[in-house]
């Protein structure tokens, strides 16, 4: 430690003295005293560390230290999990919470969250009921399945299904489908966890029905197909369809399971979104069990849905793992509300935000961009310019990996500041805005900006541009 740093360390004020500063006693009127004390201590420790790390640094003045304490308090009162504006154009964005819920689903959560409910109570008989009954019928109705079950997420659904149907036995999977979904969900690892033994067949780019046929032995419990959700193999490729796998399964007396990943309940091909069969199509093709997520294309809460033949679903309901993988009542309520919307497909397209965003036309989006730009303009200083561009958005969430949906982007230009600076400033506003930088432009995709985001987006842009204006250029 140099002499000057040692002297400065001695000048770092004591907590008691800081408490007496007028700026800080003002904070005591608004925040509980223990909170103010924590903020003071945190900032003083940071100052000490800065001085030790960098012998050139100097101790800030009282006004600056007070400002640091005030912003520390501010950030302590803000929840860690907070809303953001998604300007990335990725509709099912896993890092940004996947699917925003429909109003009906939100209302269902509010309804059951603060009062008692018939979660596991049968109102007809007055006896104990099951939480799964609230959605099983709906899932069967919408997919044509004999039986259905829901768990915490699709990863849990796959583990439960494999543990129930294949523990200690062999499961045949194509080498082209040994996928990693991200966040450490890898088919070979999941298989090991469920106590099933993986038998790989075929090659990365080509697998044929005879590859499955020759791999079948006495020990085979299941033929598993995994939707290659987040990538595509192109060129010289071959995969076996669910229909062909199911024929083989029937002939050999072995069930066929499909991990469908995103789980589409509605045919979206009329909207230019094709290539993803629906769950009913998979079941009609003969799959015995299909698992899929609740918060991807379905547009609901985090959930894992399992639809299929009664004998397998009933066995899963009796499996001891189910208790550990069970869904909570809030998700269950919002899943039920979301599924109900699918009874009227036209209503689903309008009310479920994920479906609404995916099916917006280029014309809708261009108009939307005009509305947004006009609205934002009103509250922005002249240093901020908004420029419309054409671009592409993607579905995200492990669905339609190659799909590029034409969209309209709004470029945000702040005079004297780089796209990187703009990105950082917008990411730190009260309601953060997440956009993307492409070809040295900071861009917001209007597809994923929700109507309820519009007032906050104006505020955040104004806040960010004011912040940038204060920064030294
Ligand atoms: C997304 C996905 C999963 C994991 O689903 P979660 O609901 O996130 O647990 C599993 N398999 C496939 C093929 C997927 O696309």
């Amino acid at each position: 430690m140099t002499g000057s740093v040692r002297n400065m360390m001695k000048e770092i004020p004591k907590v008691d003295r800081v408490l007496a500063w007028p700026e800080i006693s003002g904070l005591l009127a608004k925040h509980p005293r223990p909170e103010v004390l924590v903020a003071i201590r945190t900032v003083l420790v940071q100052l000490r560390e800065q001085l030790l790390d960098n012998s050139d640094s100097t101790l800030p003045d009282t006004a600056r230290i007070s400002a640091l304490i005030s912003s520390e308090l501010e950030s302590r009162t803000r929840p860690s999990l907070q809303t953001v504006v998604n300007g990335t154009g990725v509709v099912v964005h896993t890092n940004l919470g996947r699917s925003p819920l429909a109003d009906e689903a939100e209302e269902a959560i509010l309804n059951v969250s603060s009062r008692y409910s018939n979660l596991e109570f049968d109102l007809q008989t007055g006896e104990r009921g099951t939480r799964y009954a609230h959605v099983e019928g709906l899932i069967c109705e919408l997919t044509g399945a004999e039986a259905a079950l829901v768990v915490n997420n699709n990863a849990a659904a796959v583990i439960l299904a494999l543990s129930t149907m294949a523990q200690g036995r062999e499961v045949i999977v194509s080498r082209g489908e040994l996928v990693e979904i991200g966040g450490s969900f890898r088919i070979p690892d999941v298989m090991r966890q469920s106590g099933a033994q993986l038998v790989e067949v075929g090659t990365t780019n080509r697998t044929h029905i005879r590859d499955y046929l020759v791999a079948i032995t006495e020990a085979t419990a299941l033929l598993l197909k995994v939707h290659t959700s987040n990538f595509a193999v192109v060129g010289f490729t071959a995969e076996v369809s669910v229909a062909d796998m199911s024929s083989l399964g029937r002939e050999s007396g072995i069930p066929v399971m499909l991990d469908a990943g995103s789980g589409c309940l509605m045919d979206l091909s009329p909207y230019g979104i094709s290539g993803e069969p629906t769950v009913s199509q998979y079941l009609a093709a003969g799959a015995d069990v299909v698992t899929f997520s609740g918060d991807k294309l379905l547009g609901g809460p985090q959930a894992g849905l399992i639809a299929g033949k009664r004998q397998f679903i009933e066995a899963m309901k009796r499996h001891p793992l189910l208790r550990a993988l069970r869904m909570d009542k809030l998700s269950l309520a919002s899943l039920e509300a979301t599924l109900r919307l699918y009874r009227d497909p036209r209503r689903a397209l309008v009310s479920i935000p994920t479906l609404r965003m995916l099916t917006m036309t280029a014309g809708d989006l261009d108009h939307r961009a005009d509305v947004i730009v006009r609205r934002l303009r009103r509250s922005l200083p002249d240093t901020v310019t908004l420029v419309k561009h054409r671009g592409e958005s993607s579905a995200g969430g492990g669905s339609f990996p190659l799909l590029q949906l034409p969209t309209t982007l709004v470029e945000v230009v702040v005079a004297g500041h780089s796209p990187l600076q703009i990105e950082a400033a917008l990411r730190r506003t009260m309601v953060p805005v997440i956009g993307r930088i492409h070809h040295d432009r900071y861009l917001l995709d209007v597809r994923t900006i929700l109507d309820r985001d519009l007032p906050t987006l104006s505020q955040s842009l104004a806040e960010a541009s004011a912040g940038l204006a204060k920064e030294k250029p």
Side-chain angles (χ1 to χ4, degrees):
M1 215 195 292
T2 65
S4 68
V5 170
R6 194 173 303 128
N7 286 337
M8 265 192 294
M9 297 284 280
K10 280 194 211 130
E11 279 174 36
I12 294 180
K14 296 277 172 294
V15 175
D16 285 347
R17 234 183 74 210
V18 175
L19 265 176
W21 293 350
E23 297 94 328
I24 303 300
S25 45
L27 290 176
L28 280 170
K30 279 189 291 180
H31 301 273
R33 188 182 166 89
E35 276 297 288
V36 178
L37 284 173
V38 171
I40 296 174
R41 287 199 188 100
T42 309
V43 169
L44 295 183
V45 167
Q46 282 163 358
L47 290 175
R48 201 165 293 132
E49 279 167 4
Q50 268 163 26
L51 290 178
L52 286 173
D53 288 350
N54 180 1
S55 55
D56 294 337
S57 58
T58 53
L59 194 64
D61 61 20
T62 309
R64 177 77 194 128
I65 298 177
S66 303
L68 288 171
I69 292 167
S70 173
S71 82
E72 172 67 23
L73 257 177
E74 192 72 39
S75 74
R76 280 180 64 82
T77 49
R78 215 186 292 177
S80 168
L81 182 57
Q82 57 180 128
T83 54
V84 305
V85 175
N86 177 7
T88 65
V90 180
V91 177
V92 181
H93 196 306
T94 294
N95 301 143
L96 302 184
R98 290 201 179 153
S99 288
L101 296 176
D103 294 346
E104 290 81 353
E106 186 184 15
E107 207 172 298
I109 290 180
L110 281 177
N111 262 337
V112 301
S113 62
S114 51
R115 302 174 64 183
Y116 293 105
S117 62
N118 62 336
L119 181 66
E120 294 187 348
F121 185 77
D122 186 331
L123 293 172
Q124 297 300 321
T125 61
E127 281 161 20
R128 197 200 151 124
T130 136
R131 66 179 61 214
Y132 305 106
H134 302 291
V135 288
E136 176 166 13
L138 267 168
I139 299 172
C140 293
E141 187 183 315
L142 297 169
T143 63
E146 277 177 22
L149 183 59
V150 286
V151 286
N152 190 47
N153 56 10
N154 186 31
V158 174
I159 290 185
L160 177 65
L162 288 174
S163 304
T164 307
M165 299 170 78
Q167 194 154 43
R169 301 180 62 208
E170 293 178 0
V171 177
I172 305 178
V173 189
S174 160
R175 289 201 168 85
E177 298 170 5
L178 294 176
V179 304
E180 174 180 310
I181 303 301
S184 77
F185 181 91
R186 293 172 140 198
I187 289 296
D189 300 339
V190 170
M191 195 80 77
R192 209 167 305 121
Q193 279 304 317
S194 356
Q197 198 184 337
L198 171 65
V199 175
E200 304 174 25
V201 296
T203 61
T204 306
N205 57 328
R206 289 174 72 83
T207 300
H208 307 278
I209 192 77
R210 63 174 179 275
D211 295 323
Y212 290 93
L213 181 62
V214 300
I216 291 177
T217 67
E218 291 283 279
T220 307
L222 191 67
L223 306 181
L224 172 66
K225 189 168 177 65
V226 183
H227 183 60
T228 52
S229 295
N230 47 5
F231 69 102
V233 184
V234 292
F236 187 53
T237 65
E239 66 170 312
V240 179
S241 67
V242 170
D244 289 346
M245 271 175 81
S246 305
S247 305
L248 176 63
R250 266 194 308 277
E251 285 158 22
S252 341
I254 297 167
V256 172
M257 166 176 157
L258 170 74
D259 170 7
S262 56
C264 198
L265 287 184
M266 227 164 105
D267 182 12
L268 297 174
S269 54
Y271 307 94
I273 304 170
S274 48
E276 192 98 358
T278 61
V279 174
S280 2
Q281 284 165 344
Y282 283 131
L283 288 167
D288 294 290
V289 169
V290 179
T291 74
F292 53 105
S293 290
D295 54 356
K296 291 184 178 173
L297 278 186
L298 199 152
Q302 180 185 305
L305 289 78
I306 312 174
K309 299 266 160 65
R310 178 163 291 115
Q311 68 177 109
F312 302 117
I313 302 289
E314 291 304 322
M316 290 178 214
K317 286 183 184 168
R318 291 189 301 268
H319 197 285
L321 252 185
L322 179 61
R323 177 66 172 78
L325 305 177
R326 80 178 186 191
M327 214 175 151
D328 86 293
K329 63 180 178 186
L330 302 187
S331 307
L332 203 51
S334 64
L335 180 64
E336 183 193 351
T338 307
L339 291 172
R340 279 179 184 282
L341 292 170
Y342 276 95
R343 281 180 164 165
D344 177 356
R346 269 179 317 186
R347 173 138 179 245
L349 280 175
V350 182
S351 311
I352 299 175
T354 297
L355 294 182
R356 186 172 65 229
M357 290 187 271
L358 281 171
T359 56
M360 281 177 171
T361 67
D364 293 341
L365 289 156
D366 195 56
H367 175 69
R368 192 165 171 74
D370 287 334
V371 171
I372 290 178
V373 166
R374 217 175 305 130
R375 179 166 183 148
L376 293 180
R377 266 270 50 98
R378 279 188 262 144
S379 55
L380 289 177
D382 293 339
T383 47
V384 182
T385 320
L386 303 173
V387 191
K388 276 200 320 177
H389 296 279
R390 286 187 195 293
E392 267 108 33
S393 3
S394 49
S399 47
F400 310 104
L402 298 182
L403 183 72
Q404 297 274 286
L405 301 161
T407 191
T408 305
L409 307 167
V410 175
E411 180 187 4
V412 181
V413 185
V414 182
H417 294 277
S418 70
L420 272 173
Q421 289 173 312
I422 300 169
E423 188 275 335
L426 278 168
R427 183 159 36 82
R428 296 191 184 119
T429 50
M430 282 295 278
V431 180
V433 179
I434 314 297
R436 60 178 142 116
I437 296 175
H438 189 62
H439 291 320
D440 210 33
R441 286 173 173 156
Y442 179 81
L443 302 165
L444 295 175
D445 188 328
V446 302
R447 185 188 296 273
T448 47
I449 296 173
L450 307 167
D451 285 342
R452 62 168 79 178
D453 287 337
L454 293 183
T456 35
L457 181 59
S458 297
Q459 266 168 28
S460 296
L461 270 176
E463 189 186 333
S465 59
L468 285 169
K470 262 192 260 161
E471 263 178 34
K472 286 176 219 120

